Amino acid sequence: MSLTAENITKDYIRAGKGTNRFTAVKETDFTLEEGCLSVLMGRSGSGKTTLLNMLSGLLCPTSGRVLSDGDDIYSLDDKKLSKLRNERFGVIPQGQSAVHSLTVMENILLPFALYREKPDEEYAKQLMERLDIAQLSQVKPSELSGGEIRRMAIARAAVRKPRVLFADEPTGDLDDENTREVFDFLKEQAKNGTAVLIVTHENDAKAYADKLYRMNGGVPEKA
Amino acid sequence: MNSLTIKNLKGRPAATAVLLVLSSLLCFAVFVGSIMVNSLSTGLSSLEKRLGADVMAVPYEAATKKKFEDMVIQGSIGYFYMDKEKYDEISSLDSVGDISAQLYLASTGSSCCSIPVQIIGFDPETDITVKPWIKKSGKKALEKYDLVVGSDLNAFVGDTLSFYGVDCRVAAKLDKTGTTYDTTVFTNIDTIKELIASSLDKGMNDFKDISPDNVVSCLLINAADGYSPEDVMNDINLHVKRVKAVQSKNMISGIASGITGVSGMIRTFIAAVWVLGAAILLLAFTMSINGRKKEFAVMRVMGASGKMLAGIVMKEALCITLAGGTAGCLLGALVIFPFGGAAEKALGLPFLLPDAGRTVLCLCLTILLSVLSGTAAAAVSAWRMSRIDAGLTLRSDN
Ligand SMILES: Nc1ncnc2c1ncn2[C@@H]1O[C@H](COP(=O)(O)OP(=O)(O)OP(=O)(O)O)[C@@H](O)[C@H]1O
Ligand SMILES: [Mg+2]
């Protein structure tokens, strides 16, 4: 499966005087391929999250299309697009993303619970082992460190074995060792056939990249 | 998913508690208010039924001293008599249809009652006003020395009460009527004649020179076909001397307008509580959901559709308003049922608590109202939230 963006642009309307239309991503073509790990780097505010959100079905582009297996995902109704996100996309959002009333295990299994499906607890446990949070499975997020919450979010994004995995600064609050662990993990996912996109400031990521992009003037340029 | 609702509610105890308290207060006010309005209107219709006849005729003195009206409306106690001739005179009027005589007497203290009670003797042959009530209590005909007691009197079926040295037996007890019937004792006319005779013998009657067989206290009259109650009243007042006729309708018009006033106030109050409460609930649910915007965006990221989010918040709202509403209504019931009597006294209006069926109906409607406004509030918030791309909401701090 491939995910392709065709000529997508995102304009934001900014509060304030003067010309308040601001283009964060500009006329961009972009493709994510099976088994390929792409790394997107760039200055803060250069539009990386905006691009990632548009690709992952979370932000409707101002113009252009995003095609999954040839279908324009933004022409789907909310129900179908949501189901598509649930089944095919795994997203590790930038920043904190825990559901606070649920334990770590419940958080990780939430993608199943939303659609009342039988949760793959075995795989969830495996992922938790892999990400070194197995001992935290019954703990609530309020008692976790930022890095632990982040690893929980990674496990949650991967638990449905998505075809595309999006990671927006997945190592933002991790130490060097954990950072390497996470990149190793994402690389593994790519090797198993997942299309992976990592947005990061981490220079180490370059070593893992099959394709490396740098965001420049609202356009990702191949580096 | 249902366990997700419970977990979400438990996971945010403070917010849940605030919303619970809000919705229970709302339901408390609305439930108590509706029971009050209901009680007043049943009280009024009960009073109308208690009057029963179109027109009542009493000795002129009784009417001018407002004694009679006070007896019927306020439950003050007294008696008065007029010559039985008046009965014949009035019966012969063309405008008069059904007519029935009653005899009044007041007891001195009695074992049942720390204060004197009103005794009304009615004529079972012609009665049109008392029998329906007594029938409701299950007793068919009253024998001599049988009593029917009002629901507020401390006497029960089988008790013996002695008035002026005459032993009588309590044969039935009336259901609560919310009117002065609740503190009245009824007998048939033969019994009360004996009681009056005995009170005269003992020198305990205010009247000295009457004969129980030749007097009546009050005549209850329905208009004949083709005549209005007003015709009857005018006929009597014009043609029969020393008798005053009053229309039942006029007698309770003061009360009816009092009830309309109080009910109106309570209705306005309920409406105000409701509008205010719904606004507060809307605000509270909106704030509570806004506070979790990020969390909902995260669920969107995982593939929750807008409808699913709406389902989640609406289920939470449903749980809260259902639980809060039930608690509020039960609390309201705990207040209104024991203290209904106090409310009656404070208002000075007939007040009859609705029966179980009506109460349950009120309860269900109140809870339904709370559930509807709570879930509507949640639905509105959810709808507003799902119109915004998750990618944008995801940027918020919480
Ligand atoms: N909702 C919004 N309204 C207006 N402007 C926005 C909005 N969201 C983002 N922007 C602007 O769009 C630009 C790109 O934002 P974006 O979050 O994509 O950057 P980024 O490359 O992910 O930055 P960072 O590395 O700090 O995460 C920024 O300049 C930001 O101010
Ligand atoms: Mg970003």
Side-chain angles (χ1 to χ4, degrees):
Chain A
M1 167 196 168
S2 72
L3 188 70
T4 309
E6 279 182 4
N7 203 24
I8 52 171
T9 295
K10 183 71 195 178
D11 293 339
Y12 288 119
I13 307 297
R14 270 183 173 158
K17 40 186 178 303
T19 52
N20 51 7
R21 186 170 277 267
F22 169 79
T23 304
V25 173
K26 201 168 155 188
E27 295 163 11
T28 293
D29 293 322
F30 199 83
T31 303
L32 291 174
E33 275 157 15
E34 275 177 27
C36 172
L37 188 148
S38 310
V39 171
L40 179 62
M41 303 187 76
R43 276 186 306 106
S44 177
S46 57
K48 304 183 295 295
T49 297
T50 303
L51 178 60
L52 181 142
N53 283 345
M54 286 193 291
L55 292 170
S56 58
L58 296 170
L59 184 67
C60 187
T62 313
S63 65
R65 304 192 300 167
V66 177
L67 305 172
S68 164
D69 287 340
D71 297 328
D72 179 359
I73 62 171
Y74 289 102
S75 67
L76 299 175
D77 62 22
D78 179 53
K79 195 177 165 193
K80 286 196 182 119
L81 177 56
S82 299
K83 185 90 178 127
L84 179 91
R85 275 202 304 266
N86 180 263
E87 286 175 348
R88 298 202 187 161
F89 297 169
V91 181
I92 302 151
Q94 184 169 14
Q96 201 283 108
S97 67
V99 175
H100 285 95
S101 47
L102 303 181
T103 63
V104 170
M105 184 56 132
E106 288 164 346
N107 259 282
I108 293 173
L109 295 176
L110 193 51
F112 293 105
L114 285 175
Y115 285 87
R116 294 165 196 264
E117 281 173 25
K118 195 179 150 336
D120 190 345
E121 289 184 40
E122 213 35 60
Y123 188 51
K125 278 187 193 136
Q126 237 173 291
L127 287 171
M128 286 164 82
E129 293 285 350
R130 179 73 179 75
L131 292 160
D132 201 22
I133 47 171
Q135 71 286 0
L136 301 173
S137 83
Q138 296 311 314
V139 178
K140 290 266 176 77
S142 57
E143 295 161 32
L144 297 182
S145 75
E148 286 161 344
I149 291 181
R150 175 55 47 85
R151 280 175 282 156
M152 173 186 91
I154 295 169
R156 192 174 57 196
V159 78
R160 292 217 61 167
K161 301 181 178 157
R163 306 234 210 126
V164 190
L165 194 53
F166 300 90
D168 196 348
E169 303 197 18
T171 60
D173 27 29
L174 298 183
D175 56 60
D176 289 350
E177 195 188 323
N178 269 305
T179 299
R180 240 174 295 125
E181 280 290 313
V182 167
F183 285 143
D184 280 337
F185 172 78
L186 292 171
K187 185 74 186 170
E188 245 171 65
Q189 299 291 309
K191 276 192 182 134
N192 293 338
T194 312
V196 180
L197 173 65
I198 306 178
V199 167
T200 185
H201 292 290
E202 216 73 58
N203 272 316
D204 298 358
K206 288 177 189 166
Y208 296 85
D210 297 317
K211 285 180 182 166
L212 181 64
Y213 300 90
R214 188 164 296 278
M215 204 68 183
N216 197 353
V219 180
E221 290 169 352
K222 214 155 187 174
Chain B
M1 218 49 191
N2 292 323
S3 67
L4 179 63
T5 309
I6 305 291
K7 280 170 194 156
N8 275 336
L9 293 175
K10 271 195 193 152
R12 304 159 39 77
T16 304
V18 168
L19 291 170
L20 267 176
V21 168
L22 264 177
S23 53
S24 65
L25 278 181
L26 196 63
C27 284
F28 175 83
V30 172
F31 181 68
V32 168
S34 0
I35 293 288
M36 298 270 285
V37 169
N38 253 299
S39 301
L40 288 170
S41 74
T42 17
L44 181 63
S45 68
S46 175
L47 182 64
E48 275 165 358
K49 276 194 214 131
R50 176 232 185 283
L51 293 171
D54 296 337
V55 172
M56 299 170 147
V58 290
Y60 199 75
E61 316 85 69
T64 47
K65 279 189 280 179
K66 281 205 96 178
K67 204 168 166 187
F68 179 62
E69 209 168 315
D70 289 350
M71 278 174 62
V72 173
I73 310 290
Q74 251 90 49
S76 72
I77 286 164
Y79 49 98
F80 35 75
Y81 303 105
M82 57 188 170
D83 248 14
K84 207 174 175 183
E85 283 167 17
K86 304 290 180 196
Y87 177 92
D88 303 325
E89 224 175 299
I90 290 174
S91 319
S92 66
L93 293 171
D94 285 344
S95 57
V96 170
D98 296 331
I99 176 164
S100 179
Q102 290 186 344
L103 265 172
Y104 290 178
L105 182 64
S107 77
T108 55
S110 160
S111 55
C112 69
C113 329
S114 49
I115 45 162
V117 295
Q118 182 71 49
I119 307 172
I120 296 180
F122 63 96
D123 183 356
E125 302 290 312
T126 54
D127 174 69
I128 42 181
T129 60
V130 181
K131 263 199 304 203
W133 291 103
I134 293 177
K135 217 180 222 157
K136 268 174 84 180
S137 75
K139 178 77 186 169
K140 276 182 205 79
L142 286 189
E143 310 286 320
K144 194 162 183 193
Y145 304 119
D146 273 357
L147 301 177
V148 175
V149 297
S151 75
D152 287 354
L153 295 179
N154 185 27
F156 302 92
V157 174
D159 288 0
T160 300
L161 299 182
S162 168
F163 296 115
Y164 301 104
V166 180
D167 283 347
C168 299
R169 203 177 54 85
V170 176
K173 194 161 170 124
L174 291 180
D175 286 343
K176 189 155 175 73
T177 67
T179 70
T180 51
Y181 270 9
D182 294 338
T183 52
T184 302
V185 170
F186 298 93
T187 72
N188 67 21
I189 205 129
D190 295 337
T191 314
I192 199 164
K193 276 180 186 163
E194 187 160 334
L195 295 182
I196 294 172
S198 177
S199 73
L200 288 165
D201 286 350
K202 291 190 154 60
M204 286 157 80
N205 197 303
D206 292 349
F207 297 79
K208 305 288 171 217
D209 49 357
I210 57 159
S211 146
D213 284 326
N214 291 328
V215 291
V216 292
S217 296
C218 172
L219 299 172
L220 300 148
I221 304 154
N222 278 341
D225 285 346
Y227 292 90
S228 70
E230 202 170 348
D231 296 336
V232 178
M233 181 183 73
N234 291 337
D235 242 8
I236 296 172
N237 287 338
L238 273 177
H239 300 300
V240 186
K241 289 202 184 62
R242 302 203 56 75
V243 171
K244 177 81 181 171
V246 284
Q247 271 191 79
S248 311
K249 199 178 76 199
N250 294 348
M251 204 152 65
I252 60 165
S253 66
I255 291 201
S257 68
I259 285 180
T260 315
V262 173
S263 298
M265 264 161 54
I266 298 177
R267 286 215 179 86
T268 317
F269 169 75
I270 295 178
V273 165
W274 199 253
V275 169
L276 208 72
I280 294 175
L281 267 188
L282 185 74
L283 200 75
F285 274 106
T286 309
M287 274 166 58
S288 151
I289 291 168
N290 268 344
R292 294 197 283 161
K293 248 201 231 155
K294 172 92 182 226
E295 229 172 76
F296 289 121
V298 168
M299 292 196 200
R300 294 278 275 160
V301 168
M302 283 181 261
S305 66
K307 259 204 192 120
M308 289 165 73
L309 289 194
I312 290 172
V313 290
M314 282 168 75
K315 257 186 215 154
E316 287 182 32
L318 180 78
C319 284
I320 286 178
T321 48
L322 205 59
T326 312
C329 284
L330 291 183
L331 205 69
L334 280 182
V335 170
I336 192 89
F337 290 108
F339 299 112
E344 178 177 4
K345 285 216 182 62
L347 290 169
L349 293 169
F351 187 91
L352 187 60
L353 287 168
D355 57 24
R358 231 185 146 70
T359 307
V360 170
L361 188 72
C362 262
L363 191 117
C364 291
L365 282 179
T366 308
I367 295 177
L368 186 72
L369 224 52
S370 135
V371 165
L372 281 184
S373 72
T375 44
V380 168
S381 306
W383 175 74
R384 287 194 344 200
M385 192 166 57
S386 62
R387 277 197 321 165
I388 302 170
D389 277 339
L392 295 174
T393 338
L394 211 46
R395 289 180 192 268
S396 50
D397 290 333
N398 48 37

